[in-house]
Amino acid sequence: MDIKHYMQTLGSQARDASRIIAAADTALKNQALLAIAEAVSGGRDRLLAANAIDMQNGRSNGLEAALLDRLELNPERIDAMIEGLHQVAELPDPVGEVTDLQERPSGIKLGKMRVPLGVVGIIYESRPNVTIDAASLCLKSGNATILRGGSEAIESNRAIAACITQGLAAVGLPEAVVQVINTTDRAAVGELITMTETVDVIVPRGGKSLIERISADARVPVIKHLDGNCHVYIDERADRQKAVAIALNAKTHRYGVCNAMESLLVAESIADKVLPELAALYADKGVELRGCEKTCALIKSALAASEADWSQEYLAPILSIKVVAGLDEAIEHINRYSSRHTEAIVTEDRERAERFIREVDSSSVMVNASTRFADGFEYGLGAEIGISTDKIHARGPVGLEGLTSQKWVVYGDGQIRQ
Amino acid sequence: MDIKHYMQTLGSQARDASRIIAAADTALKNQALLAIAEAVSGGRDRLLAANAIDMQNGRSNGLEAALLDRLELNPERIDAMIEGLHQVAELPDPVGEVTDLQERPSGIKLGKMRVPLGVVGIIYESRPNVTIDAASLCLKSGNATILRGGSEAIESNRAIAACITQGLAAVGLPEAVVQVINTTDRAAVGELITMTETVDVIVPRGGKSLIERISADARVPVIKHLDGNCHVYIDERADRQKAVAIALNAKTHRYGVCNAMESLLVAESIADKVLPELAALYADKGVELRGCEKTCALIKSALAASEADWSQEYLAPILSIKVVAGLDEAIEHINRYSSRHTEAIVTEDRERAERFIREVDSSSVMVNASTRFADGFEYGLGAEIGISTDKIHARGPVGLEGLTSQKWVVYGDGQIRQ
């Protein structure tokens, strides 16, 4: 198989299909989503059989338990895929909206129209449900998609691709609107991320090393986040009860997620009131604490944090804690060490809250709320295609709107430049 | 001089300064712009003397006349720089605006706040006035800037940098808010475009080869346009007078600009009415016509267009012309050959106009107006930092808003995830 030629064929087919899906109206796109849901529903047995092969291969190849868990399809997960398709069909369609209409002194009427990006390449690991999630969001936002899942999931993904193709065909859309790369050859990824003529954006989903590799080699723009080193700062003027509840929830609600708190900052003047109480609660949950000198003086069980701890995304029951002089030091620490994902302040002081909001340079900045709210569903985007910690285009959870951009539209009546 | 170390110092100084300028209020930023204007005004003699050295060196090095013209500063150009600074001070400040506020079912209040990108790197050629234009737009939008002008303009740029530093100091802003790279070593550009830790976006301004080189090597996101192969399509239902006026204006108003029409498409049914009239007008202006077979049959003086002509940005009194069957072929031709800059349809038919607007995938799409309107001033953005023909972030003329993005802000009252 000539991978370069194969990928370029996928690319030019996607480019052609992107014109058609971009011009499709909302009703047709929703019909396609529901037709895919029906195909998935009707294809349950084939999906489970295909997945059983992947699972068998995974076990033979010694895949670790966590990866096998992600790889597995079962009836509940297939139901969730179907439910997800229905939910995306319910979401408002961002495409075609014209905003900021104004008449210019020249007499032209100027506005901005929301339009699809074009062709979106998605690279992910071994969760087969991502195939449906990503395809449905791209389809609803009027984009063509090229999907590349983990090689461990190849049989599951082929079976899902067949359902998608069936659904698209049922409503008369070209099958190249969603294409699943049908090879496990790694060279396919190298091609996909450099096809600037036919691919408009790459969304990598998965571990940090995957995303770093892709970002380093991509020529196509990438929407990504590398990690989530999220902070909660408990201000001197915090409500203690809220502070304790938020700091506990942000760390312990789930450990392996990118919006979990990894570092807690506490104003010096209230550290002796808040930290011992929190330490007891964290101890109950088995959270290991790594603190600065002042923290260790207040919490006997805390280990000494090293410089590396301040930058670390643990994704585990571990928390670094630093006592800071106040708001200024908190903001400075966060802007220095944070991965720009999500940070929260707990305070009853409005001015300090506003300063935190304005000056902390992260994709989500919160007052008196748990960092765990930084999420497409919680934000009302429906599902998210990913989270961006970059500064251009979209920041934070990226939903349908993040898969579009705006072009300028001009309505004239024969105007020419003088 | 250790270029890598020098550039990394500029980068980390810019990152620190970006926090300060991002938090600066509108009044302070405007005061800085006016203080820079005053410094430029007071520094006229030094600017002219520095520029005279660049001009002398340019002549000795055999710089061609067009480049010498761009390089030259004279009292009128200095006035224009001062006027530009005043105009940017008058523009509305996009930073800090919170939109789309909504309460979510969890009780959190969610919104989007417009914020600066952070550190913007600008790479341009030998026009010293770009130094002031770019610096002022970045400053007003709350960004720190690292500027790298053409080596021919180094003395002029050093003198302008001194005025900027003086203006920033006068209002108490750190001088690292605007830094002009003080070396002509090309390695500095290579560093600038790969400093992903400290630079958030690169805006290259200049010829296609410069921009291609930068895009190929950059690791930092780039806002760019490579070329402007703009089209006008004269529909069967066009008003003939408007069609002729627009087609003439779009080609002949200025030849060397990226929003000039380079290719004219005409519906077959009216080609014999429109093309001979236009041919006579183009002949008066000395425009060379390169047509498809049908065009050449209608215009005796037209040369035969080659396949390459359809993709070409002439930036000269040359125009390619193609007779198409109708709207479908026009849209298809444009989406195939256009550089996605600006395209216009001339028609009195609303439905066709709407289809053209929706289906043509360019940064500006126009009805009954000259492509020459695709411009930051005409769009009311004030000056533009550049034009983007990419699909993500900003498309078309990029003004202050294009130098910002939106972060999520969440106001809670102690909410935690259940």
Side-chain angles (χ1 to χ4, degrees), chain B residues 75 97 118 161 188 243 267 358:
Chain B
E97 189 196 17
R358 274 195 75 123

Side-chain angles (χ1 to χ4, degrees), chain A residues 215 219 357 372 407, chain B residues 215 219 357 372 407 417:
Chain A
S215 306
R219 306 297 340 142
I357 288 264
R372 288 281 293 126
K407 68 182 178 190
Chain B
S215 306
R219 304 295 343 140
I357 288 265
R372 288 282 292 128
K407 69 182 180 191
R417 273 286 287 276

Side-chain angles (χ1 to χ4, degrees), chain A residues 285-304:
Chain A
K285 301 271 188 182
V287 175
E288 175 186 320
L289 303 181
R290 303 188 187 171
C292 67
E293 222 167 285
K294 288 173 183 161
T295 302
C296 291
L298 290 165
I299 306 175
K300 293 286 163 266
S301 58
L303 307 173

Side-chain angles (χ1 to χ4, degrees), chain A residues 161-232:
Chain A
C163 296
I164 296 173
T165 302
Q166 189 185 331
L168 291 169
V171 300
L173 282 170
E175 57 183 82
V177 166
V178 180
Q179 297 178 100
V180 174
I181 296 176
N182 193 16
T183 166
T184 58
D185 191 322
R186 284 195 165 206
V189 173
E191 290 298 323
L192 181 63
I193 64 179
T194 51
M195 302 197 307
T196 51
E197 291 298 310
T198 49
V199 181
D200 294 296
V201 65
I202 294 287
V203 184
R205 291 176 54 150
K208 189 171 176 173
S209 70
L210 170 80
I211 294 171
E212 276 179 334
R213 213 165 54 234
I214 286 167
S215 306
D217 296 337
R219 306 297 340 142
V220 176
V222 175
I223 294 177
K224 64 168 192 302
H225 82 282
L226 285 177
D227 48 17
N229 177 21
C230 302
H231 295 73
V232 171

